[in-house]
Amino acid sequence: MTDTHKAAKAQPLTAVKGMNDILPPVSGQWEWFEEAVRALMARYAYRNIRTPIVEPTALFVRGLGEVTDIVEKEMYSFEDRLNGEHLTLRPENTAGVVRAVAEHSLLYDGGKRLYYMGPMFRHERPQRGRYRQFHQIGAEALGFAGPDVDAEIILLADALWRELGLSNIRLEINSLGQPAERRQHRAELIAYFERHADVLDDEARRRLHTNPLRILDTKNPAMQPMVQGAPRLIDFLGAQSLAHFNGVKAMLDANGIAYTINPRLVRGMDYYNLTVFEFVTDSLGAQGTICAGGRYDDLIAQIGGKPAPAVGWALGVERVLELVREQGAPIPEPLPDAYAIVPDAAAMPVVLRTLQTLRGAGLKVQMHAASAEGLGSMKSQFKKADASGARHALIFGADELAAGEVTVKSLRDGAGAQARHPLAAAAEWGAGLKA
Ligand code: ATP
Ligand code: MG
């Protein structure tokens, strides 16, 4: 290293804007939440799938549709410097799951229920509940055509809210029908918008002939009255689409699931047909949609697979966890059962061996570790033990060790109570210290 290198103080590096570190204790809440989801998915027979975070850009352009917010302006796309491939950090994971299902012919022996968890990337303006790296958990049921699976996957999400102790969440549903019905509606919709061209904003004008359905989704207050009066897709549905929609509604009714029909619910991706739905709360400010999904019967064929029907949803982990912190029962922290106090470094080999035995018996144990200055006073070690949240201190003093024992002192309930136990029987008495 040259002298100039040594002299220059390195600029501190920070995370990319809109991309967050998830640190303890909050990371513990994430783990707890993910565990709850895994257990729930197992009860509904959904199995885990893990696909790459980077996919060919064409997958999203073809899958999501060229005239969507995501593909037009939110994707992190780049060219691989080594081979020129066009790649994109996944902005969502339905397209990736569908690619994997088609690539590995997963539907050869019937439908599959799958779920995933992981980071997604969208170049949006960061704000509360909206980040550039965020996390989704998604459920996808592929190879099933009936409204029963639509109802099942909605029930699955609803069960999750109840399990987390969440309230004030409403379910909105709609049917987008089939492509032919949408084409008919689209023609009427364009004609209607053209009659009201004076109130269309720039974005709406731009989308008029490419994706007029998305104009219904506008957040522009000035356009609301006009949008309210627009032709409703639901009025263009044929008998089959209506039967599917009625089937979903009947099964939700039979399960006591409340919902409202929102004829303007269109969703951001082009791949949806028939049932679409969103779970929305008023408790999170502007970013109130915590989970969204629907049926996408044409997507598999669209990306080159053998045609098969499918339905799915994705929830925003950051938004759901914010709601859990606001409304749910307190999230348990994984605190240690015991903290090992080590008055003298000579005891360390015995301490490490005993802690291994206790961990083997299933205890969560934290060891007091030496700093450059040594182990520190008993007083400072007890302070650290308290701060760790452990319910017991294990004191490996010289007296105790000479007798082949350790002192177990309670730090919480009945604080101060203590007893000596033989080191050789750590697995036995240790089991009694578990929370
Ligand atoms: P929004 O209308 O809020 O932009 P979206 O329609 O783009 O949502 P989806 O693509 O359907 O969202 O994703 C499903 C869920 O993922 C959303 O309901 C939301 O909870 C979450 N989500 C989407 N984008 C973000 C983001 N940038 N940051 C955090 N969570 C997000
Ligand atoms: Mg969005």
Side-chain angles (χ1 to χ4, degrees):
M1 218 196 272
T2 65
D3 284 344
T4 41
H5 274 123
K6 256 187 262 171
K9 194 166 174 289
Q11 278 291 324
L13 292 166
T14 57
V16 174
K17 186 178 172 199
M19 305 199 180
N20 301 310
D21 299 311
I22 299 154
L23 311 170
V26 174
S27 55
Q29 301 174 353
W30 283 63
E31 289 187 305
W32 169 86
F33 175 56
E34 288 160 2
E35 278 310 309
V37 170
R38 281 192 189 96
L40 187 72
M41 292 292 178
R43 298 208 290 280
Y44 284 75
Y46 281 67
R47 300 176 72 184
N48 189 232
I49 181 166
R50 300 170 191 229
T51 58
I53 284 171
V54 178
E55 294 276 3
T57 299
L59 174 66
F60 303 112
V61 176
R62 248 201 268 169
L64 275 52
E66 235 155 319
V67 195
T68 54
D69 281 347
I70 294 180
V71 172
E72 276 184 339
K73 52 191 183 199
E74 295 175 358
M75 294 208 301
Y76 284 91
S77 298
F78 57 97
E79 214 176 290
D80 187 314
R81 271 193 295 176
L82 300 177
N83 61 11
E85 278 184 278
H86 293 277
L87 304 176
T88 293
L89 299 184
R90 63 185 188 192
E92 60 95 67
N93 204 28
T94 298
V97 167
V98 165
R99 182 209 38 77
V101 163
E103 187 169 338
H104 304 285
S105 308
L106 279 194
L107 302 182
Y108 79 99
D109 62 347
K112 293 283 174 297
R113 293 174 171 85
L114 302 170
Y115 78 92
Y116 60 80
M117 313 183 166
M120 308 295 158
F121 303 84
R122 297 184 193 176
H123 196 102
E124 304 194 67
R125 191 169 67 76
Q127 54 195 290
R128 180 186 181 194
R130 193 176 293 287
Y131 312 100
R132 289 180 175 174
Q133 175 174 329
F134 64 101
H135 297 75
Q136 287 185 335
I137 293 175
E140 315 280 1
L142 303 109
F144 306 101
D148 48 353
V149 182
D150 302 23
E152 178 188 81
I153 214 163
I154 292 174
L155 288 173
L156 166 57
D158 183 76
L160 181 59
W161 317 142
R162 277 182 288 117
E163 180 144 325
L164 299 173
L166 303 181
S167 54
N168 188 22
I169 295 172
R170 62 176 192 281
L171 168 63
E172 298 190 352
I173 62 171
N174 190 22
S175 175
L176 298 183
Q178 299 293 11
E181 294 154 354
R182 275 210 297 284
R183 272 195 296 278
Q184 223 192 338
H185 169 251
R186 183 191 149 104
E188 300 266 343
L189 196 59
I190 291 175
Y192 174 86
F193 286 142
E194 277 173 339
R195 286 200 298 279
H196 295 85
D198 50 319
V199 270
L200 296 182
D201 60 18
D202 287 347
E203 180 161 284
R205 252 183 227 121
R206 205 163 47 78
R207 286 197 159 148
L208 184 55
H209 292 279
T210 51
N211 199 346
L213 206 57
R214 292 285 287 150
I215 299 177
L216 297 177
D217 201 25
T218 178
K219 308 228 155 63
N220 182 350
M223 284 172 55
Q224 288 311 319
M226 186 274 296
V227 158
Q228 299 283 335
R232 302 178 334 154
L233 177 50
I234 211 158
D235 298 324
F236 290 74
L237 299 189
Q240 270 197 331
S241 294
L242 279 177
H244 190 100
F245 196 38
N246 290 334
V248 176
K249 288 192 289 181
M251 286 179 255
L252 295 179
D253 291 338
N255 281 280
I257 306 287
Y259 55 84
T260 53
I261 298 171
N262 177 357
R264 274 174 305 282
L265 183 61
V266 294
R267 309 288 310 114
M269 291 73 142
D270 282 356
Y271 52 60
Y272 289 109
N273 69 319
L274 293 174
T275 320
V276 289
F277 54 88
E278 288 189 357
F279 288 93
V280 188
T281 176
D282 299 321
S283 309
L284 293 178
Q287 269 57 251
T289 304
I290 56 169
C291 176
R295 190 159 268 288
Y296 50 92
D297 295 334
D298 300 320
L299 180 58
I300 304 183
Q302 214 166 296
I303 67 156
K306 193 163 161 265
V311 58
W313 53 245
L315 65 79
V317 176
E318 285 84 355
R319 294 186 195 177
V320 172
L321 270 176
E322 193 182 338
L323 206 56
V324 171
R325 285 190 287 268
E326 227 163 79
Q327 296 184 351
I331 299 173
E333 272 204 56
L335 301 175
D337 296 307
Y339 187 101
I341 306 257
V342 192
D344 186 338
M348 257 324 169
V350 178
V351 172
L352 284 167
R353 197 152 41 79
T354 308
L355 299 193
Q356 288 300 82
T357 304
L358 291 171
R359 291 168 182 142
L363 258 74
K364 299 196 276 274
V365 191
Q366 187 172 334
M367 178 188 82
H368 184 80
S371 68
E373 286 75 43
L375 286 159
S377 68
M378 288 283 275
K379 191 170 161 213
S380 73
Q381 291 196 35
F382 266 106
K383 256 196 172 145
K384 290 234 167 74
D386 267 325
S388 77
R391 285 180 302 100
H392 303 276
L394 309 177
I395 306 158
F396 291 86
D399 274 5
E400 283 94 338
L401 292 193
E405 293 178 338
V406 61
T407 296
V408 179
K409 186 172 179 191
S410 174
L411 298 174
R412 306 270 134 163
D413 9 279
Q418 61 179 63
R420 279 166 71 145
H421 295 291
L423 292 171
E428 287 78 57
W429 55 260
L433 304 182
K434 266 194 266 186

